[in-house]
């Protein structure tokens, strides 16, 4: 397929590289960030544009990979009748694109994507305004990722996004707070990696509801009090510790 990518951030770069590797042709990359667009265009041996009026109108598929709150502004002057146009956002309805084309949809990768990493297997969630759009987006997804392609309307995507923020963004924030604690207390955060990896790996075979351990799960209030004393000089972590401890005790 011939594809135009609108955007030059992490998602745009990651998807673009996958498209190229799968044998698709990136005929253009559009971005208001001209330097980022030029860099990706050079990598993919294609052209870049930073004016809406210069967008290539002959591609098969247009992937809008920009931040959620930028989609409406980016597309306000784009009209691509008959073309397949999809955004990559979980928390934005596909109908935002209905003035752009009749063949609009969503191509949502459920993964935290970074420009510098190549993730082999990513579940893709698609939605389309009609059968043609759904078929093309599903075909594109199957061509680039060795993982299932799912159908998901806005309601499901929004709920998935909330859950994804909790399991990914929130846990990473906890890791960052723990890392800060370790630095200040003279401990190597890397000493915790075997524990972290074991916990994550067990999720492949066990539901998290059966895996809970620790002083709160045991009702060990003496140990909890000792931990809170150690966290006295780490107020953010102490507040989080108390909140999560209370949640585990209630459950």
């Amino acid at each position: 397929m011939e594809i135009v990518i609108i955007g030059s951030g992490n998602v745009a770069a990651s998807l673009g590289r996958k498209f190229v590797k799968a044998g698709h042709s990136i005929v253009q990359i559009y971005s208001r960030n001209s330097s980022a667009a030029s860099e990706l265009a050079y990598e993919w041996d294609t052209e870049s544009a930073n004016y809406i009026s210069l967008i290539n109108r002959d591609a098969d598929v247009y992937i809008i990979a920009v931040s959620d709150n930028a989609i409406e502004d980016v597309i306000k002057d784009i009209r691509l009748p008959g073309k397949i146009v999809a955004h990559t956002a979980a928390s934005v309805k596909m109908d935002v694109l209905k003035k752009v084309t009749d063949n609009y949809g969503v191509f949502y990768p459920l993964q935290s994507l970074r420009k510098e990493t190549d993730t082999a297997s990513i579940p893709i969630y698609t939605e389309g305004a009609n059968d043609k759009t759904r078929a093309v987006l599903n075909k594109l997804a199957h061509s680039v990722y060795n993982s299932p392609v799912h159908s998901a309307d806005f309601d499901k995507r929004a709920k998935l996004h909330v859950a994804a923020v909790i399991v990914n963004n929130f846990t990473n924030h906890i890791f960052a707070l723990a890392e800060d604690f370790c630095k200040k207390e003279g401990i190597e955060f890397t000493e915790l990696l075997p524990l972290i990896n074991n916990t994550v790996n067990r999720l492949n075979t066990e539901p998290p509801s059966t895996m809970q351990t620790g002083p709160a799960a045991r009702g060990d209030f003496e140990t909890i009090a000792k931990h809170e004393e150690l966290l006295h000089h780490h107020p953010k972590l102490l507040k989080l510790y108390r909140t999560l401890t209370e949640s585990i005790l209630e459950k």
Side-chain angles (χ1 to χ4, degrees), residues 39-218:
E39 185 177 334
L40 290 174
Y42 179 78
E43 178 184 338
W44 300 333
D45 191 24
T46 189
E47 65 176 35
S48 63
N50 62 338
Y51 292 101
I52 289 291
S53 59
L54 298 177
I55 284 185
N56 184 304
R57 310 234 169 218
D58 299 320
D60 301 310
V61 178
Y62 295 74
I63 298 294
I64 302 172
V66 299
S67 62
D68 294 12
N69 58 7
I71 292 175
E72 289 194 54
D73 188 48
V74 166
I75 66 170
K76 65 183 180 181
D77 295 319
I78 299 177
R79 299 294 181 268
L80 297 163
K83 299 299 184 179
I84 305 291
V85 182
H87 69 64
T88 60
S91 299
V92 178
K93 293 182 178 181
M94 70 172 177
D95 290 355
V96 72
L97 301 175
K98 64 183 179 181
K99 291 184 179 180
V100 179
T101 178
D102 290 333
N103 301 322
Y104 57 90
V106 177
F107 191 90
Y108 168 53
L110 182 55
Q111 184 58 267
S112 180
L113 300 176
R114 303 291 298 175
K115 285 184 177 181
E116 61 273 14
T117 58
D118 182 6
T119 305
S121 181
I122 297 175
I124 300 293
Y125 291 80
T126 65
E127 185 181 14
N130 51 49
D131 290 342
K132 175 183 178 181
T133 303
R134 286 189 292 271
V136 171
L137 294 178
N138 287 344
K139 182 178 180 180
L140 179 61
H142 280 297
S143 72
V144 294
Y145 288 114
N146 183 27
S147 55
V149 178
H150 308 276
S151 176
D153 60 14
F154 171 72
D155 184 61
K156 180 176 180 178
R157 290 197 315 276
K159 291 173 181 177
L160 277 171
H161 195 226
V162 171
V165 167
I166 293 169
V167 301
N168 183 48
N169 305 130
F170 287 2
T171 53
N172 187 72
H173 179 63
I174 293 173
F175 293 152
L177 291 175
E179 180 187 31
D180 183 64
F181 172 81
C182 289
K183 286 180 179 178
K184 291 177 179 177
E185 299 297 332
I187 303 169
E188 290 293 332
F189 178 77
T190 52
E191 295 182 56
L192 301 173
L193 291 180
L195 174 62
I196 294 170
N197 292 332
N198 179 64
T199 301
V200 172
N201 289 336
R202 286 176 62 195
L203 290 172
N204 289 305
T205 57
E206 301 176 54
S209 57
T210 67
M211 290 169 49
Q212 193 66 58
T213 60
R218 298 191 302 270

